[in-house]
Amino acid sequence: MNYKNLFYSATVIFALSCQTSPTGRKQLLLVKDPDMNTMGVQAFEEMKKKTPIDTGEAVNRYVNCIVNAELQVTEDDTGVESWEVVVFRDSTPNAFALPGGKIGVHTGILPVAKTADQLAAVLGHEIGHVIARHGNERVSQNQIAGGAQSIVKALGKDQAAGVLGAGMQYGVLLPFSRTHESEADIIGLDIMSKSGFDPKESVTLWKNMSALGGSKTNEFLSTHPSDETRIKQLNEKMSESLQKYQIAKSSGKQPNCKL
C-alpha cells in the first residue's frame, strides 16, 4: 500500500470538503446537496408509508403556521425548493427534519410543547439540523469510518433514515451528536426569535422535557446534551435573541398560530 498517496488523497478530500456551518463551525461534507436531498426525500416517503398520518385540519394548520413563519426568516442554501410538513399520529414526543426540506411532527410533541412559541423552538431546532447539513456530516463521517466510496448508494432506505437522524431504533429516534444538537438549539433559537416567537419559551420547552425525564442518563454516555446544559446554552444567547425578537415584533412579525 502506498501510504504517501493515501495520505495525499485524504488531505485533498479534507481540503476540498471542509465547509463552515451557520455558527462558524468547521465541517467535513463529502456528499453533494442534491444527493443528500434525494436521500432525505426517499427516507421521508418510506416513513409516510409506515406511520399513520394525522390529516386533521386544525393540527395541520397550526403546525404549518409555525413552520411557514420560521421559513420566511430561514437562510437555506441546500437546494430545497419547497418544504413539506407532515403530522404523524405517534405518541412519542418528537419531531424531525430531513434533507430535501421534509419535516415530520409527532402528535406526541404537542402535550410537551404546550404553546406555539414552544413548538416553534422544536421546529426551529429541526430546521437548523437541515440548513446546517448535519445529515451530510453524519453520512460523511460514516464514509470516513467505513471506507465506503458511496454510502448514499450502499444504504437501504431505512438505514438512510437512521444516518440522517430519523431512523427508528428501540422505539426512539436516533440522536445526532451533542455538537449537532447544541448547534441546532442555537440556530433554532435564532430562527424562532427572528420570526416573532418568544425565545424564552425555548427554555420552558426543555424544562417540560426535563419533567418527562428526558436526559436522566449520564451526559458523558449520551449523544444528547443534558437538559441542564441545553438550558444553560440557550440562556447564554437569550439577551441577543430577545433583541432579535423585539425587532421582529416591531417589524410586524407576530405569528398568530393557534390550535
Side-chain angles (χ1 to χ4, degrees), residues 147-217:
Q149 294 299 311
S150 183
I151 196 170
V152 176
K153 294 180 180 179
L155 286 174
K157 292 176 182 177
D158 290 341
Q159 291 172 297
V163 172
L164 294 172
M168 301 300 292
Q169 184 179 57
Y170 310 118
V172 298
L173 291 178
L174 288 173
F176 283 102
S177 68
R178 285 197 292 268
T179 297
H180 288 163
E181 288 294 326
S182 295
E183 186 168 57
D185 280 346
I186 299 307
I187 296 172
L189 185 68
D190 188 65
I191 290 173
M192 70 179 296
S193 302
K194 289 180 177 178
S195 55
F197 293 102
D198 186 352
K200 296 192 301 296
E201 288 296 286
S202 64
V203 172
T204 305
L205 166 72
W206 283 106
K207 289 181 178 178
N208 294 347
M209 285 288 195
S210 184
L212 294 177
S215 298
K216 289 183 177 179
T217 57

Side-chain angles (χ1 to χ4, degrees), residues 215-255:
S215 298
K216 289 183 177 179
T217 57
N218 186 307
E219 183 178 0
F220 181 75
L221 300 177
S222 172
T223 54
H224 278 81
S226 69
D227 297 328
E228 293 81 4
T229 297
R230 301 187 98 138
I231 290 171
K232 177 178 179 293
Q233 292 170 340
L234 289 168
N235 278 326
E236 288 173 350
K237 295 286 186 179
M238 195 56 63
S239 177
E240 177 185 344
S241 297
L242 285 170
Q243 291 179 13
K244 294 177 180 177
Y245 172 53
Q246 293 301 327
I247 292 173
K249 288 204 302 179
S250 65
S251 66
K253 292 184 174 67
Q254 299 184 31

Side-chain angles (χ1 to χ4, degrees), residues 56-225:
E57 182 179 349
V59 68
N60 278 276
R61 182 175 60 246
Y62 174 62
V63 172
N64 275 278
C65 176
I66 296 170
V67 171
N68 290 336
E70 295 196 313
L71 289 179
Q72 288 179 12
V73 302
T74 298
E75 296 182 7
D76 173 35
D77 61 357
T78 66
V80 176
E81 295 183 358
S82 63
W83 292 69
E84 179 184 6
V85 183
V86 173
V87 179
F88 292 101
R89 289 203 305 271
D90 190 313
S91 61
T92 55
N94 272 311
F96 62 90
L98 300 177
K102 305 301 180 180
I103 298 175
V105 179
H106 291 189
T107 51
I109 194 65
L110 300 177
V112 183
K114 299 178 182 180
T115 67
D117 297 284
Q118 291 173 25
L119 187 55
V122 174
L123 296 174
H125 170 102
E126 299 304 333
I127 292 170
H129 278 309
V130 173
I131 67 174
R133 295 180 171 86
H134 290 162
N136 196 329
E137 279 191 279
R138 289 181 62 150
V139 172
S140 299
Q141 289 162 6
N142 272 274
Q143 282 185 319
I144 296 298
Q149 294 299 311
S150 183
I151 196 170
V152 176
K153 294 180 180 179
L155 286 174
K157 292 176 182 177
D158 290 341
Q159 291 172 297
V163 172
L164 294 172
M168 301 300 292
Q169 184 179 57
Y170 310 118
V172 298
L173 291 178
L174 288 173
F176 283 102
S177 68
R178 285 197 292 268
T179 297
H180 288 163
E181 288 294 326
S182 295
E183 186 168 57
D185 280 346
I186 299 307
I187 296 172
L189 185 68
D190 188 65
I191 290 173
M192 70 179 296
S193 302
K194 289 180 177 178
S195 55
F197 293 102
D198 186 352
K200 296 192 301 296
E201 288 296 286
S202 64
V203 172
T204 305
L205 166 72
W206 283 106
K207 289 181 178 178
N208 294 347
M209 285 288 195
S210 184
L212 294 177
S215 298
K216 289 183 177 179
T217 57
N218 186 307
E219 183 178 0
F220 181 75
L221 300 177
S222 172
T223 54
H224 278 81

